[in-house]
Each structure stands twice: as C-alpha cells, then as structure tokens.
Amino acid sequence: MNGLEDLRRELDETDDSLLAALERRVGLVERVADAKAQSPAALLRDRDREKELLAKLEKKARDRGLNPYFVRRIFHDILEYSIDDQQRHLAARAQGESASLVKVAFQGVEGAYSHLAANKYFGAKSGACAFIGYRGFPEAVAACEAGDVDFVVLPLENTIAGSINATYRLLETSSLVIVGEEVWRVEHCLIGIEGTPLGRIRHIASHPQALLQCGEFLDQMPQCTIESFTDTAEAVRRVKDTQDVTHAAIASEEAAAVYGLAVLKRDIADQRENFTKFVVCAKKAVAYDRRIPCKTSLVLVTDHSEGALLACLRPLHDAHVNMVKLESRPLANTPWEYQFYIDVEGHADDPRMTAALDAMRERARVLKVLGCYPIRTKGYEGVEPVVEIAAPSEPAPVCETPASKPGKPKPYRLAAREAGRRDTQIKIGNALFGGGAFALIAGPCAVESREQIFESARIVREAGASMLRGGVFKPRSSPYSFQGMGWEGLELLVEAGRKFVLPIVTEVLDPGDVQRVAQQADMLQIGARNMQNFALLAEAGRCARPILLKRGMMSSIEELLLAAEYILAGGNTQVILCERGIRTFENATRNTLDLQAVPVLKRLTHLPVIVDPSHAAGERDIIVPMALAAKAAGADGLIVESHPDPDTALCDGPQALTTPMLNELAAKLAAMDKTLERTSA
C-alpha cells in the first residue's frame, strides 16, 4: 500500500506539472493574441499550421510509445481552447477591459440556468463579476437599460422547446444590443428531499420551458400536480424551504448543490441532446475584430405582398452571405402579418455585409440589427469570416448597389433618392402612401371625449378618408392650454378607429412612450416641435410602426431629411415626410405653406411626401384650395383637421374643417383624379 501511495503522489506531481505547462501555454497564447491585435493582417486561425502541428505530435507520440489517437485528441482540444482564448482576448480588447466590478443581470436566483450560463460566458473574469438575479426578463432588461447593470443574459432558444417568445419580444422593443452568445447543455434533474421515492411525490414545479422539455417524464408521473414557476432554481429553493417530501422540482444538478437537496432522477428531458442558447446584451454595441468569426442577428418586416420576403433576402444571396436562421413571428397588433428573425454569418461592418444590409433596407419596411457578436453555436470546424481581410492593393469586393455607385454621397444616404431607386410605398390598413397612391388623413386636433371622437370618426369614414387622426399628447405653446387626454384618449381613439374601420395616427412626445403608443396606434406622428428631438427619432427608428415626420417650423429641407435619416438608421424604413408650413416674415396666415418643397423632396428622396394645410393656414376657409394645390404639386397625401363642431373645439378650432367642408374637399380630390384619368387616356 505504501508503494501505491507513493505512485499516486508521483501522479499528482505529474498532474501539477501538466497544469503548470498548460498555464505557461495559456500565457503564450495571450501574448500571441496581443501580437495579432497589433498586426491586423495576421490570420486568427492558421489551419495549415494546425494540421502540420498535429501530424508532428502524432509522430512524436509513436516514437515515445504513446497512443497517437489519444495524443491527437488532447492537443486537438488544446488548440481549440487556444483559438477560443485568442477570440476572447481580442473581444475583451474591443469591449475595453476595466478593473472595476462588472454587474451582470439574469432572470431567477442563484443556480438558475441563466445564472449558470452567465458564469460560463464570463469565464475567468467571473470572479470580477457581480451576478444579480431579477424576478422576470423585463425587469432584468430594464435594469440594463437604466445602467444599473452592465450586461443582461437572456435565454433565446432551446433545441427541444424552440424559441423563447418573451426574449424575442424584448429584443425587438428594447434599446439593448446583443454583444455575445453562450450555449449551455441542459441536463434536467428531478430535485427533492434526499431518499424520497418517486412514488411519494405529488407536486412538481419548474419554469414553463423546463416543464415543456420534460413532457415524457411528466406523463409517467400521473399522480403529480404540475406547477409553473418563475425559474428552475426558485422552484428548488421552495422545496428546501418547505422540506416537504411530496414536493419536487425540475432543475440542474448545480441548483440542487446550491440549496443542499438531492438529485432523485437524472436526465429526464425528452431528448438527451438538450441545449439552450443564451444571448448577452448591453447598451452599446462592441466592435469586434473582423478576424473573429461572428454572427449578425436581424429583425425584418416586409411588405405583406407576393415576393416581398424573397426580394429582401436576395441581397444576402448575391453577397454570398450564409443565412443560418429564419424564423417568422406574428407582427404585434397586425393580425396575419409577420416579422422575421434572421441570423447570418459575418460581421455587420464587413463591406460585403454592409452593402447587403443597405440593399435589404431599400426593400424592407423595418430592418433592425439586433447585434453582431462572436459565434458560440458552431462546432470545431468553425466558420470563416464572410470575406478575408484583403491587402490594401486588393480591396474586398462589395455588392453592386445604388449606395456603392460613384458620386458625391449625401449626408442622408438612406433617405436619398439614388439612381434607379423606386418610390417607397407604405401601406397602413387600406391607406397607401407613395408609389403613385394618394391618401387622405382627417380628424380632430385632439381627442376631447368619447362622443366627440366617435362622431369625428363617423364623419371621416363617410367622407371617404383613409385614416383617422387625433392627438392625445398635445405639445402646446402655453402651459394653460389643453394638453390632451393622455392614455385615456388613446384608448378612445383606438376604439373609434376599430368601430369605423379606420387606421389611426397620433403624436408621440416622449421617447419612453414610443413602444407603448406603437402597441395601439397604426402610425406615430413626430410633430414639428420635435423634428430634431434626436432621442425621440432614434427610438422611433427602433419601433415597427410607420412614422409621420413633420417638418419643423424653421427647418430646411435638408434638416428634415437628416431627421428622417435618424429613423431610417434605426432600422425603421416606414417614414412619411410632411410639409406643414414654415415661419416667414408673412403674418397674414399662421405659417407659410411651402408647396415647392413637395417637388423638391420628391426629387431628393424616395420617401412619401404629404402636406398638412391646416397648420399652415390656421384658417379653415383657405385649407381646401391649399389642399388641392398640394395634390397638384405631387403630394402623396394630405392630413387635415376636421371637427363635428369646430367652434367648441378645445384646440385649433379655427383651422378645423366643418363636415360640409371635409366632404367638399373629398369630392374635389376625387374630381381631380377623374380629370387626370381623362387626360391620361
């Protein structure tokens, strides 16, 4: 026995030597990563060198009497770790390493799968991290948006249960970006009081996703009541607190260890290969080294028409960009229309990818980049970047798109009308804007009461207008003027629109209200006073609703287009421009309607252009002729104010059309269309 103990001590010393050698190798790998960071032309991964090295090691193994397959397998894993470590090192440089404590949010409590994935992702740096659990996904995301934490880790997809809807919805509506992903192998266990036989268990609790993944096992426990819980580890903690042998939880073995409970049965998932992909989100994107194989995630909303999806995806094919995921999900508050979540291999700032995304934006209603981040869901073979980094004398090829053609670039490149670019057409319900279509929007300046907005909607419907307008948040010059009914007014406007089958448009003032208003309104208006509220414009770019952008009272045409560019750059391509009059020396009217802005804008941009003669005139008697002149100038639509009883209106009564005047306007617009048809014939 003494001889065996001596041999074991010698084995332990040898293992310590191996660890020391690995430690030295890791240090050398970090120095290699530093050298590659200083030399952008150096390859991150040299597969020819790897093959040569493994072949040499196999030969040396044979010469030493070792199993060459065993040695190759060991060094194969070491090389893989080295590449991963270099990637992490370069990524850390891109993120800007800090000595300060990093705060990471997750949903659940200690031992939850999100907590385990967070520890895995931050790896060696996890000792410098504070992991903070939140009750739900929205709370964790809100903490990151508020700056209370630096990162949030969210489950996105499971190989058994599929996508996690709540996470996708948060990614769509939040301002966070994906900066990383992690994969956790899920090994569900039944956790309970040690020594409890399965036959005694009467209650099993876990997160709904875990219960879904263990359906076959639960079918074998018909005596049990199944209960959904906020997360897996919380279910385990409750078993510990109750110490009830009839209660059990489905969770990880790590959660059982954290709370001092026993694993009653292992591997109870429906499939043995059970993985969950998590995403790591932050407030700011990370510019990763282009040599790191990356993935770019997108949200795409297309027109609801034949071939629209194909047209949006074709630029990826033309650019030889590999799409690894395409998933459709219902578009919020738009029954039977869909948005798409897409993952593609490649860096978002690669010239080939950039050109493809620009081409997609031309065809999409909304294209939002959720993030660009290193790939963790690929096997050992990995994935190469979309294009190799070329020497200066050999520029990387790019897609031939209008944006890449020579010529002086405009500061509003997404809004600009380039050669061959078609007019953008935006469909809202039955209303069409742009591309030769014309739409009339009418309704009161503000929602004042249920009776008033319902009567307004009836009048608008009977006049043949396409959309109902109504303000619920009113930016008034005087603090003593009527400021609108707020959220109660929005509910009334929505109800009136539904009753009379009219899409609705209303103004939004605060960036924090954009997503909430977008859940109910069909189009959001950004008024003249907020045309250069850049935080509001950026948030509007992140929502999936069309935006009506009004020209500022003292803004140039270029400034209007640059404001639109903020929205387009956020991924929302559904922008309608509105000329509503500008301030000049003339005071005979409220403002001066700049109708020549219509043909100028039609020349400069592909976006639809409509006119608001009500705010320009300020007097109802001159609104109809100005509206007809706007149509003659080539406007794609009109937005006018109307009221059942303008003399009693709480705001802008003098410029609200009466019912007969609204009907007159609609009739004269129809007559202009007939005249145009006869002229064309």
Side-chain angles (χ1 to χ4, degrees), residues 554-628:
M554 301 181 69
S555 299
S556 68
I557 289 175
E558 181 171 271
E559 287 170 334
L560 172 61
L561 291 170
L562 286 169
E565 192 78 4
Y566 268 86
I567 303 171
L568 297 170
N572 188 349
T573 64
Q574 306 172 97
V575 179
I576 299 172
L577 304 176
C578 181
E579 164 58 40
R580 47 82 67 204
I582 55 176
R583 283 186 176 172
T584 66
F585 61 85
E586 182 55 68
N587 58 11
T589 56
R590 182 174 180 177
N591 293 292
T592 298
L593 186 59
D594 184 12
L595 283 182
Q596 64 185 4
V598 175
V600 171
L601 283 168
K602 299 287 280 186
R603 184 179 72 233
L604 294 176
T605 182
H606 55 89
L607 299 172
V609 180
I610 71 170
V611 172
D612 173 4
S614 299
H615 281 87
E619 301 175 16
R620 69 175 66 95
D621 292 339
I622 58 177
I623 290 174
V624 172
M626 287 297 95
L628 298 176

Side-chain angles (χ1 to χ4, degrees), residues 191-214:
I191 311 297
I193 307 300
E194 187 170 3
T196 303
L198 298 187
R200 289 203 61 186
I201 297 172
R202 293 294 180 269
H203 305 278
I204 298 177
S206 192
H207 188 274
Q209 286 288 327
L211 297 174
L212 188 62
Q213 295 163 26
C214 301

Side-chain angles (χ1 to χ4, degrees), residues 337-397:
E337 293 192 25
Y338 300 87
Q339 59 189 357
F340 301 91
Y341 290 90
I342 300 171
D343 286 345
V344 295
E345 291 175 345
H347 287 257
D349 62 349
D350 185 281
R352 193 182 294 259
M353 180 76 79
T354 299
L357 294 178
D358 285 346
M360 290 177 72
R361 285 189 182 95
E362 293 182 6
R363 299 159 172 83
R365 280 161 52 183
V366 176
L367 181 66
K368 178 181 179 182
V369 177
L370 294 176
C372 177
Y373 47 95
I375 294 175
R376 293 283 184 96
T377 53
K378 201 76 175 178
Y380 166 68
E381 291 303 321
V383 56
E384 295 301 326
V386 174
V387 292
E388 296 292 340
I389 297 177
S393 59
E394 301 178 23

Side-chain angles (χ1 to χ4, degrees), residues 29-182:
V29 168
E30 290 185 357
R31 290 170 61 186
V32 168
D34 285 332
K36 289 182 178 180
Q38 301 300 321
S39 178
L43 292 174
L44 180 64
R45 186 165 206 162
D46 188 339
R47 294 191 181 277
D48 290 337
R49 170 173 160 73
E50 288 179 23
K51 291 177 182 177
E52 182 181 344
L53 176 62
L54 289 173
K56 287 181 179 179
L57 290 169
E58 279 189 86
K59 183 178 183 306
K60 290 179 179 180
R62 290 190 185 93
D63 293 343
R64 292 171 178 263
L66 299 173
N67 185 325
Y69 171 80
F70 179 65
V71 170
R72 184 184 181 91
R73 181 68 180 271
I74 291 174
F75 278 92
H76 180 288
D77 290 344
I78 289 174
L79 288 174
E80 179 66 17
Y81 176 82
S82 297
I83 295 299
D84 287 346
D85 201 45
Q86 289 183 55
Q87 290 185 14
R88 283 191 290 268
H89 194 75
L90 290 173
R93 289 174 65 96
Q95 290 174 310
E97 288 193 50
S98 172
S100 60
L101 185 69
V102 174
K103 298 178 181 179
V104 182
F106 66 94
Q107 185 272 327
V109 297
E110 184 182 1
Y113 285 112
S114 293
H115 179 233
L116 300 175
N119 272 279
K120 180 182 177 185
Y121 178 82
F122 288 95
K125 306 296 181 184
S126 61
C129 293
F131 297 100
I132 305 169
Y134 289 83
R135 179 174 178 79
F137 299 140
E139 292 85 349
V141 168
C144 193
E145 288 184 311
D148 296 334
V149 296
D150 302 293
F151 301 95
V152 57
V153 177
L154 301 168
L156 187 67
E157 182 181 355
N158 178 262
T159 54
I160 298 177
S163 298
I164 298 167
N165 300 339
T167 301
Y168 274 109
R169 179 61 180 161
L170 287 169
L171 290 175
E172 175 197 341
T173 58
S174 79
S175 60
L176 301 182
V177 292
I178 303 175
V179 297
E181 69 175 1
E182 188 56 82

Side-chain angles (χ1 to χ4, degrees), residues 113 116 158 184-191 213-214 250-255 263 265-269 271-276:
Y113 285 112
L116 300 175
N158 178 262
W184 183 265
R185 184 179 189 125
V186 179
E187 296 178 297
H188 286 312
C189 301
L190 187 68
I191 311 297
Q213 295 163 26
C214 301
I250 294 176
S252 66
E253 186 170 355
E254 290 85 351
V263 174
K265 187 173 178 62
R266 286 183 168 80
D267 297 328
I268 61 174
Q271 299 176 22
R272 184 172 295 274
E273 297 299 315
N274 184 12
F275 296 90
T276 295

Side-chain angles (χ1 to χ4, degrees), residues 301-320:
V301 181
T302 71
D303 291 332
H304 192 58
S305 60
E306 179 183 354
L309 178 60
L310 176 62
C312 288
L313 296 181
R314 185 176 295 280
L316 295 175
H317 169 76
D318 294 342
H320 304 288

